[in-house]
Amino acid sequence: MNNTTTATVLTRDVCRDAELFLSSLDSDWAEHIRKTGHCRHETRPEREPYEALIRAIAYQQLHAKAGDAILGRMLSLFPSQRFPTSEQLLACDPECLRQCGFSAAKLTSILGIAHAQQEGIVPDLSTALAMPDDELINRLTSLRGVGRWTVEMFLIYSLERADILPVDDLGVRDGFRRLKKLESSPTPRQMRDIGLAWRPFRTVAAWYLWRLPKSE
């Protein structure tokens, strides 16, 4: 993982370079990329870290549709704006937030992130963009309920980092199992070692692994 402030941003040109690089690794990668087509990784660089972390918490251990529903109910509590401020969340009746579908643990994490944003622990976007990946991970994983995967999703989708491999992600590991037709998925440690060969395009590699058909 990059740990400098000059991390590569995932532009369209970088995606095309990544496709060529990954396709050159072996026939499995080449065939999968040919079938899947160009990388269409969609990022949300306008989202502040505070918002991105709360959205990631909402989707933890849920299918996308379930996460969409819970988050949608929360956003409906604040109809006059795109996303509530930390002050608004902290002023909201916790029971109203629970009724959106958040577990007690997730609600505690979300309110903790709101507190941390006010205290400056969660940086603003411009500060986060200038911080090394490892520093961001160490700072943000100190928050309750925020694990490495959550911060890595923030790095991939908000900061548009090009070389992030979330080795704890089941979809990444199972995608590699299907790509290579293995009997079992690699462990996170094995996935980390395997992914070294994909630098500096590990985010694009993850994107393609997420798209392995379930039948393969």
Side-chain angles (χ1 to χ4, degrees), residues 173-198:
R173 284 155 45 207
D174 196 52
F176 185 77
R177 178 189 65 78
R178 295 195 296 274
L179 178 72
K180 293 298 181 180
K181 298 177 175 58
L182 305 175
E183 291 187 2
S184 60
S185 300
T187 65
R189 176 177 291 184
Q190 290 170 332
M191 193 77 261
R192 185 174 294 109
D193 291 341
I194 292 166
L196 293 176
W198 309 335

Side-chain angles (χ1 to χ4, degrees), residues 75-159:
L75 295 178
S76 70
L77 299 176
F78 309 92
S80 62
Q81 60 202 95
R82 187 180 62 80
F83 199 84
T85 65
S86 55
E87 291 82 4
Q88 288 174 314
L89 273 182
L90 292 171
C92 188
D93 182 354
E95 185 55 34
C96 288
L97 294 174
R98 280 296 306 275
Q99 290 177 3
C100 294
F102 293 114
S103 66
K106 283 191 177 183
L107 181 57
T108 298
S109 296
I110 287 169
L111 296 180
I113 291 168
H115 276 295
Q117 194 269 342
Q118 293 189 339
E119 295 170 357
I121 298 172
V122 175
D124 60 24
L125 183 57
S126 61
T127 301
L129 284 167
M131 292 176 65
D133 296 346
D134 289 344
E135 183 178 342
L136 273 170
I137 289 172
N138 290 336
R139 179 189 290 200
L140 298 177
T141 54
S142 68
L143 303 175
R144 181 172 178 177
V146 178
R148 188 181 184 94
W149 179 89
T150 300
V151 184
E152 287 171 336
M153 294 302 103
F154 164 60
L155 291 170
I156 289 173
Y157 288 100
S158 292
L159 299 192

Side-chain angles (χ1 to χ4, degrees), residues 23 26-37 175 179 205 207-213 216:
S23 293
D26 58 46
S27 59
D28 292 327
W29 274 107
E31 180 65 9
H32 175 48
I33 291 172
R34 185 191 66 78
K35 288 181 177 179
T36 306
L179 178 72
W207 187 90
Y208 277 106
L209 292 176
W210 280 324
R211 278 150 186 84
L212 259 295
E216 291 190 11

